[in-house]
Amino acid sequence: MPAPHPYAALLDEIPVTRREAPVLGGTTVFWEYGPADAPVTIVAVHGFRGEHHGLEPVVAYLPDVRVISPDLPGFGETAPVPARRHDLALYAEWLTDFVAQIAPGAVILGHSFGSIVVSAAVAGGLATPRVILVNPIGAPALEGPRGVLTRLAVFYYWAGARMPSRAGTALLRNGVVVRVMSVSMAKTKDPELRRFIHDQHDTYFSRFADRDVLHDAFVTSVSHDVREFAPQISQPTLLIAAERDDITPIEAERVLAGLFADANLVEIPDVGHLIHYETPQVAAAAVRSFLGLDELGTR
């Protein structure tokens, strides 16, 4: 039985429409939340192995904002881009084309792996008035507080890509491994919230198209970080970081903030790499303040 969704009642009040768009020769599936005539539009880019559902808890606290939330190519309902390697260049090009077609001039938000994609795209010329990075990857993943686990992950994805197809795919979708990942990231001691987080990962963490796309995306996630692109981003940037993040320590996030021309760092205590699940209301409040929205839409 699925775990109770703690943000369902709020989401039920927000209109949502599933849409599709041709991008780079493929079809990108995305969801549009909130009023079409909202004063602000945000394009929200999810993290590694995730899809659009992961950012819904934050959307739940932005009822008066138009949020465009696509599934990245090769994840969720969006098929891989034909005849392309799914590296950072591909994802940055895809995001730039997607935004130009669907929401030109939108604020761009990226979570985790999405923070790398967003930063690369904006540094490469994606036009946007403001940038929001949640749990930004602000240092090499292999140097994080759990570098040993990251090295194990490198071996895991390498093995999944090298084994015979059926066995490799089964390994990469193995429920026990997914649960270990989920347990390692969750910091909340609320049993119901932990159950929800694990259910979300069980349901959506293996919705990748194939092992090649997953491997390409993983290699990208551990080969790049936001520091590469921060000095080239002139737009006002909001960094929403967690004090207990096991992937990028908060000290590294503070250094990262100094690399931008104009950055504001919000630090959230008692949470790790799952701000979007554990403290979405706090994250949404930071977004509202950064965008200058009034308090009429808060809940």
Side-chain angles (χ1 to χ4, degrees):
M1 174 181 291
H5 196 309
Y7 312 107
L10 297 177
L11 286 167
D12 286 345
E13 298 178 18
I14 299 176
V16 56
T17 304
R18 179 189 181 278
R19 301 188 186 280
E20 298 182 358
V23 183
L24 299 185
T27 299
T28 293
V29 182
F30 66 98
W31 284 257
E32 182 174 348
Y33 301 84
D37 60 350
V40 175
T41 295
I42 296 175
V43 172
V45 183
H46 64 77
F48 175 67
R49 282 194 73 144
E51 40 110 283
H52 74 282
H53 283 100
L55 292 173
E56 282 192 332
V58 179
V59 173
Y61 291 99
L62 297 171
D64 53 344
V65 176
R66 177 178 176 239
V67 179
I68 305 296
S69 189
D71 284 347
L72 283 164
F75 295 89
E77 294 188 33
T78 298
V81 174
R84 292 287 298 272
R85 180 181 178 188
H86 286 63
D87 55 13
L88 184 55
L90 177 279
Y91 282 116
E93 181 184 355
W94 163 83
L95 179 60
T96 300
D97 286 6
F98 175 79
V99 172
Q101 179 183 165
I102 302 301
V107 173
I108 311 297
L109 179 152
H111 171 255
S112 188
F113 175 64
S115 74
I116 302 174
V117 174
V118 167
S119 298
V122 174
L126 169 58
T128 179
R130 289 176 177 257
V131 178
I132 301 169
L133 305 178
V134 182
N135 285 122
I137 307 300
L142 293 175
E143 296 177 8
R146 293 197 176 184
V148 173
L149 287 180
T150 303
R151 286 177 173 80
L152 288 174
V154 170
F155 175 76
Y156 167 70
Y157 287 106
W158 176 86
R162 297 298 186 274
M163 295 169 67
S165 180
R166 180 176 295 182
T169 299
L171 173 65
L172 294 169
R173 290 197 166 107
N174 183 276
V176 174
V177 176
V178 170
R179 179 56 60 91
V180 169
M181 294 178 188
S182 187
V183 169
S184 71
M185 289 189 290
K187 302 302 181 186
T188 179
K189 299 194 183 305
D190 182 330
E192 290 302 311
L193 184 54
R194 289 184 70 89
R195 183 183 170 202
F196 165 72
I197 290 169
H198 298 332
D199 182 67
Q200 288 283 294
H201 287 143
D202 290 347
T203 303
Y204 302 117
F205 226 46
S206 294
R207 297 187 67 200
F208 53 88
D210 57 58
R211 63 180 185 162
D212 293 332
V213 166
L214 185 65
H215 181 261
D216 286 350
F218 175 75
V219 170
T220 296
S221 74
V222 297
S223 301
H224 300 276
D225 62 74
V226 177
R227 295 179 308 169
E228 297 175 52
F229 311 105
Q232 304 167 57
I233 296 174
S234 60
Q235 294 91 333
T237 301
L238 172 64
L239 308 179
I240 304 177
E243 291 186 358
R244 298 178 63 193
D245 197 328
D246 290 321
I247 296 179
T248 301
I250 194 63
E251 295 80 8
E253 301 287 30
R254 293 166 184 160
V255 173
L256 174 65
L259 299 180
F260 288 88
D262 181 4
N264 178 33
L265 173 64
V266 172
E267 300 180 16
I268 304 180
D270 300 321
V271 67
H273 203 65
L274 303 181
I275 284 175
H276 58 309
Y277 284 142
E278 296 188 32
T279 59
Q281 187 172 12
V282 179
V287 169
R288 297 187 66 82
S289 177
F290 177 65
L291 297 180
L293 298 172
D294 61 38
E295 299 301 313
L296 295 179
T298 59
R299 292 186 264 177

